[in-house]
């Protein structure tokens, strides 16, 4: 894992003892540093901040500063080899340290003197503490390995008060207001959301609301309704089905196909459920659906990855789709043997404009590598060739051994030339294949030793990763939810990335977030053009505002609903999809969730009157 940035407070914990770095129980005048136990009823362990050195020799040189008094780690070169806590002096070499990841040990680091000859180590244990010294490298010494543990997040919310019964000796009973485990948004939370409102008693998981359940496979690279993601039978989502700018509810119903309830543009939806597009006669549960404008006329069409291949039903001006079962436009990318035997749990597929010509192409990562079918000016798709476009990013070992549930792959323009490049997170880190002017993908390059399994990113679902710009009109960055919090690697605009840093001590495993209970997304909830972090946690919806430079503010609870706990609605990841999309037309995303009784909405009020 990457090191936290200098703004985050953290404990520095020795891997051999599990004890944090700090001062003696009775601090000495010389500033000697030790590791020791900190009892629960005593002072808290020291917290530190990593500040990039003013004139670093490389990108791993830091000043390690005490968060309380500003003093820093110093190597006074004394005979006892001890490390001290001293006043900071600008540019002083003895106060600069390299933080070097331990190879093959995610989250562990060597802290070495700027000379690179010695590292932080432990002396012989004392009675109550163990002194910190500098020793020569010993790869087998666990005492030379350190872990950075970020401080608890400073989230903003208010406790909910409830009436608690009081019993008296004479049998009488009274009531008082008392705190409860539930939380609610703080009065100044921004943006603010309305109370959660049930707007439609359909499309829910309860029997009375339709008994919806995802029975087919689903592949959602991004649950924001953008072209390029796929949904299986039983899925529910929101999309502009008419091209008029309104978000409608769409559900994929067994035997009926795609059904919809039209949005009214004011946060409400029509009560009736009508068939949007019937399934093909040969429809299978393994089919994947999406809505995308395939012709450039502003109206979305239905695209299905079927057993036979890719089927497209174009939308006419009257809103109908033809042909009913879809036209077979490409005998490839389907789950049947005649179409390549593509599998959702092995082979990611994308629908995107790879060349910048405004037409959507089909791209997929199969066993032997990357296959591409470009769409021409007439809307026709080119048949696949005899060889893959790139023998990489594939499921089989000879193509890299990429696993769908462990190694996410993306399409993004990392160079600003309008063409999409291929990016993937493998075990060892980040790989990229750049697309040139001829549409050819270059051999993948290893560009970053992070966001991979070896750095603690165990799965694609547990540790979501996104490629997008965190600042307006700048290069694409990588944002990921790692074990210790939010990690960002800023893009340089040339297909490479700056070193990754933990920029927020929240939304990670260490703060209690889990893919089995919580959703974590990126969306612009304030309308300032910068993507914010939105997390559906236990207590409700948390938002961390984007500062516009790859960093995020501490999270605020903005909506008491759509959360995992009973007080927040008892929402479940496997049954209750939730989305961020503008359903009122005011340019700010609202929250829409498919719960048990039906469809729930919380409108984005920004700084307007709050209804809670």
């Amino acid at each position: 894992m990457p090191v936290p940035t200098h703004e985050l407070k953290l404990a520095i914990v020795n891997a051999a003892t599990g004890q944090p770095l700090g001062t003696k129980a009775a601090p000495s005048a010389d500033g000697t540093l030790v590791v020791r136990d900190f009892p629960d009823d005593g002072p808290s362990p020291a917290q530190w901040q990593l500040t990039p050195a003013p004139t670093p020799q490389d990108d791993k040189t830091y000043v390690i500063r005490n968060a309380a008094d500003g003093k820093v780690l110093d190597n006074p070169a004394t005979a006892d080899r001890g490390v001290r806590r001293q006043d900071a002096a600008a540019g002083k070499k003895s106060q600069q340290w390299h933080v070097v990841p331990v190879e093959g040990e995610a989250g562990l680091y060597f802290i070495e003197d700027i000379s690179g000859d010695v590292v932080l180590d432990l002396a012989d244990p004392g009675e109550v503490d163990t002194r910190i010294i500098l020793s020569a490298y010993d790869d087998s010494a666990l005492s030379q390995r350190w872990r950075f543990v970020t401080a608890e997040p400073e989230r903003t919310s208010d406790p909910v008060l409830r009436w608690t019964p009081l019993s008296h000796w004479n049998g009488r009973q009274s009531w008082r207001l008392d705190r409860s485990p539930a939380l609610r948004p703080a009065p100044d939370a921004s943006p603010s959301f309305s109370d959660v409102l049930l707007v439609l008693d359909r499309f829910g998981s309860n029997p009375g609301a339709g008994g919806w359940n995802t029975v087919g496979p689903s592949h959602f690279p991004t649950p924001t309704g953008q072209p390029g993601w796929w949904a299986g039978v039983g899925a529910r989502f929101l999309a502009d089905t008419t091209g008029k700018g309104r978000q409608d509810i769409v559900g994929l119903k067994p035997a009926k196909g795609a059904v919809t309830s039209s949005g009214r543009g004011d946060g409400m939806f029509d009560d009736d459920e009508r068939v949007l597009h019937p399934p093909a006669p040969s429809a299978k549960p393994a089919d994947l659906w999406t809505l995308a404008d395939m012709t450039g006329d502003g109206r979305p069409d239905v695209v299905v990855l079927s057993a036979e291949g890719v089927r497209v039903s174009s939308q006419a001006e009257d809103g109908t789709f033809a042909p009913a079962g879809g036209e077979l436009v490409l005998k490839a990318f389907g789950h049947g043997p005649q179409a390549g035997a593509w599998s959702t749990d092995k082979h990611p597929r994308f629908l995107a404009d790879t060349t910048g010509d405004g037409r959507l192409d089909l791209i997929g990562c199969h066993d032997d590598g990357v296959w591409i079918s470009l769409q021409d000016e007439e809307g026709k798709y080119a048949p696949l060739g005899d060889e893959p476009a790139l023998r990489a990013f594939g499921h089989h070992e000879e193509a890299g051994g990429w696993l769908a549930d462990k190694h996410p792959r993306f399409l993004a323009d990392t160079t600003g030339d309008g063409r999409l490049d291929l990016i993937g997170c493998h075990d060892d880190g980040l790989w990229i294949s750049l697309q040139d002017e001829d549409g050819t993908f270059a051999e993948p390059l290893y560009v970053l030793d992070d966001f991979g399994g070896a750095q603690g990113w165990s799965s694609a679902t547990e540790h979501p990763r996104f490629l997008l710009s965190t600042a307006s009109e700048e290069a694409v960055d990588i944002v990921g939810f790692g074990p210790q919090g939010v990690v960002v690697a800023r893009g340089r605009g040339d297909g490479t990335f700056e070193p990754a840093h933990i920029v927020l001590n929240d939304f990670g495993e260490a703060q209690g977030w889990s893919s089995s209970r919580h959703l974590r997304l990126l969306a612009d909830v304030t309308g300032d053009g910068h993507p914010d972090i939105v997390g559906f946690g236990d207590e409700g919806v948390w938002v961390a505002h984007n500062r516009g430079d790859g960093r995020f503010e501490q999270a605020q609870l903005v909506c008491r609903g759509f959360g995992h706990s009973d007080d927040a609605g008892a929402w479940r990841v496997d049954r209750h999809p939730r989305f961020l999309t503008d359903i009122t037309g005011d340019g700010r995303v609202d929250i829409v969730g498919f719960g048990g009784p039906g469809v729930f909405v919380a409108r984005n009020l920004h700084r307007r009157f709050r209804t809670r």
Side-chain angles (χ1 to χ4, degrees):
M1 286 297 297
V3 297
T5 60
H6 63 280
E7 290 192 355
L8 292 185
K9 298 176 183 179
L10 52 97
I12 303 176
V13 179
N14 187 264
T17 66
Q19 297 173 322
L21 172 70
T23 57
K24 294 181 178 180
S28 58
D30 62 359
T32 299
L33 290 170
V34 299
V35 295
R36 65 183 179 91
D37 287 325
F38 286 82
D40 294 338
D41 57 351
S44 301
Q47 292 186 340
W48 305 87
Q49 293 172 302
L50 300 182
T51 306
T55 54
Q57 295 180 347
D58 53 44
D59 54 28
K60 298 179 180 177
T61 304
Y62 297 90
V63 174
I64 302 177
R65 190 182 308 275
N66 188 283
D69 59 19
K71 293 189 175 183
V72 301
L73 260 66
D74 189 283
N75 172 18
T78 54
D80 64 359
R81 299 175 296 159
V83 176
R84 306 289 196 264
R85 185 173 62 111
Q86 306 284 10
D87 291 329
K92 190 176 181 181
K93 297 295 184 181
S94 64
Q95 295 180 353
Q96 296 182 13
W97 305 86
H98 292 155
V99 177
V100 182
V102 178
E103 187 174 354
E105 296 286 346
L108 293 180
Y109 300 87
F110 296 110
I111 302 176
E112 68 176 22
D113 176 75
I114 194 171
S115 67
D117 297 329
V118 290
V119 297
L120 258 61
D121 200 353
L122 303 182
D124 293 333
E127 292 184 4
V128 294
D129 53 32
T130 303
R131 195 164 52 90
I132 305 299
I133 62 173
L134 290 169
S135 301
Y137 263 108
D138 181 354
D139 290 338
S140 63
L142 196 60
S143 60
Q144 294 184 357
R145 303 180 184 189
W146 302 83
R147 177 177 289 108
F148 299 122
V149 180
T150 54
E152 289 295 316
E154 300 173 4
R155 298 171 178 164
T156 304
S157 62
D158 277 353
V160 173
L161 299 180
R162 290 178 175 169
W163 291 104
T164 302
L166 291 175
S167 298
H168 300 276
W169 62 272
N170 58 3
R172 299 183 63 183
Q173 194 173 54
S174 61
W175 300 78
R176 70 175 180 184
L177 282 174
D178 200 1
R179 290 173 178 262
S180 75
L183 298 176
R184 66 180 178 184
D188 59 349
S190 176
S192 60
F193 285 83
S194 69
D195 287 332
V196 178
L197 178 66
L198 178 65
V199 298
L200 189 64
D201 57 359
R202 298 175 182 269
F203 298 98
S205 59
N206 291 353
W212 284 78
N213 179 40
T214 301
V215 297
S218 292
H219 177 50
F220 285 84
T222 170
T224 55
Q226 298 300 316
W229 54 263
W230 306 96
V233 175
R236 290 145 289 163
F237 52 92
L238 290 109
D240 179 5
T241 65
T242 62
K244 296 180 180 179
R246 291 184 177 180
Q247 294 295 310
D248 308 313
I249 294 171
V250 180
L252 303 180
K253 209 165 196 177
K256 277 195 174 182
V259 297
T260 185
S261 177
S262 299
R264 298 176 182 173
D266 59 356
M268 304 295 288
F269 300 89
D270 289 344
D271 290 335
D272 64 317
E273 178 186 299
R274 61 184 176 85
V275 176
L276 179 70
H277 183 267
S282 59
K284 302 290 192 301
D287 290 354
L288 293 174
W289 297 56
T290 193
L291 291 171
D293 181 7
M294 303 294 286
T295 61
D297 61 2
R299 294 187 297 270
D301 310 302
V302 174
V303 185
V304 180
L305 300 179
S306 67
E308 299 83 8
V310 183
R311 291 186 171 274
V312 175
S313 294
S314 298
Q315 184 176 176
E317 293 184 2
D318 61 359
T320 60
F321 292 85
E327 177 189 356
L328 185 62
V329 299
L330 186 64
K331 294 180 180 180
F333 297 106
H335 53 85
Q338 67 273 35
W342 292 72
S343 172
T344 303
D345 59 359
K346 293 181 181 178
H347 310 133
R349 285 154 284 178
F350 304 89
L351 182 65
D353 178 11
T354 63
T355 61
D357 61 4
R359 295 186 291 270
L360 296 179
D361 310 306
L362 283 156
I363 309 95
C365 302
H366 207 283
D367 291 335
D368 51 359
V370 179
W371 294 82
I372 300 174
S373 176
L374 300 179
Q375 185 183 181
D376 62 21
E377 294 179 357
E378 298 179 354
K380 305 294 184 182
Y381 280 93
L384 299 187
D386 297 329
E387 296 288 333
L390 185 65
R391 289 195 176 276
F393 298 103
H395 182 76
H396 284 172
E397 286 297 325
E398 57 268 24
W402 293 75
L403 306 178
D405 61 347
K406 190 175 181 181
H407 306 135
R409 280 148 283 181
F410 308 90
L411 287 168
D413 179 9
T414 64
T415 61
D417 63 359
R419 295 179 176 274
L420 300 184
D421 309 305
L422 274 162
I423 305 100
C425 304
H426 209 288
D427 291 334
D428 52 357
L430 193 74
W431 291 80
I432 186 168
S433 174
L434 299 178
Q435 184 184 178
D436 62 22
E437 294 180 357
D438 298 328
T440 303
F441 285 90
E443 284 298 312
L445 295 174
Y446 181 64
V447 295
L448 193 64
D449 58 348
D450 216 313
F451 298 102
Q455 295 87 32
W457 303 76
S458 60
S459 74
T461 54
E462 192 61 50
H463 301 123
R465 280 146 276 184
F466 300 84
L467 272 83
L468 75 175
S469 176
T470 59
S472 299
E473 300 180 357
E474 292 193 14
V476 171
D477 309 315
I478 305 173
V479 182
F481 298 96
Q484 291 293 327
V486 180
V487 179
V488 172
R490 300 298 305 277
R492 295 183 173 129
D494 60 358
T496 65
F497 298 84
E498 296 177 3
H501 290 283
I502 299 177
V503 299
L504 184 64
N505 56 331
D506 208 343
F507 300 104
E509 285 179 274
Q511 295 84 30
W513 292 80
S514 168
S515 63
S516 63
R517 302 195 312 272
H518 310 126
L519 296 176
R520 289 157 288 178
L521 311 172
L522 286 160
D524 178 12
V525 297
T526 59
D528 63 359
H530 300 148
D532 309 297
I533 296 172
V534 182
F536 293 83
D538 289 330
E539 306 88 351
V541 183
W542 295 87
V543 168
H545 291 155
N546 188 330
R547 295 182 177 180
D549 58 357
R551 296 177 297 169
F552 298 86
E553 298 175 0
Q554 292 287 321
Q556 292 181 303
L557 184 67
V558 300
C559 181
R560 184 188 167 194
F562 301 104
H564 182 82
S565 69
D566 292 343
D567 289 312
W571 291 73
R572 297 296 179 261
V573 170
D574 59 343
R575 298 198 300 275
H576 307 136
R578 284 148 282 179
F579 297 89
L580 299 164
T581 188
D582 179 14
I583 58 173
T584 61
D586 64 357
R588 298 189 178 94
V589 296
D590 310 292
I591 306 171
V592 182
F594 297 88
V599 182
F600 291 81
V601 166
R603 300 175 188 175
N604 189 333
L605 304 177
H606 197 51
R607 296 182 182 276
R608 291 175 287 167
F609 176 76
R610 300 172 177 82
T611 61
R612 52 179 170 274

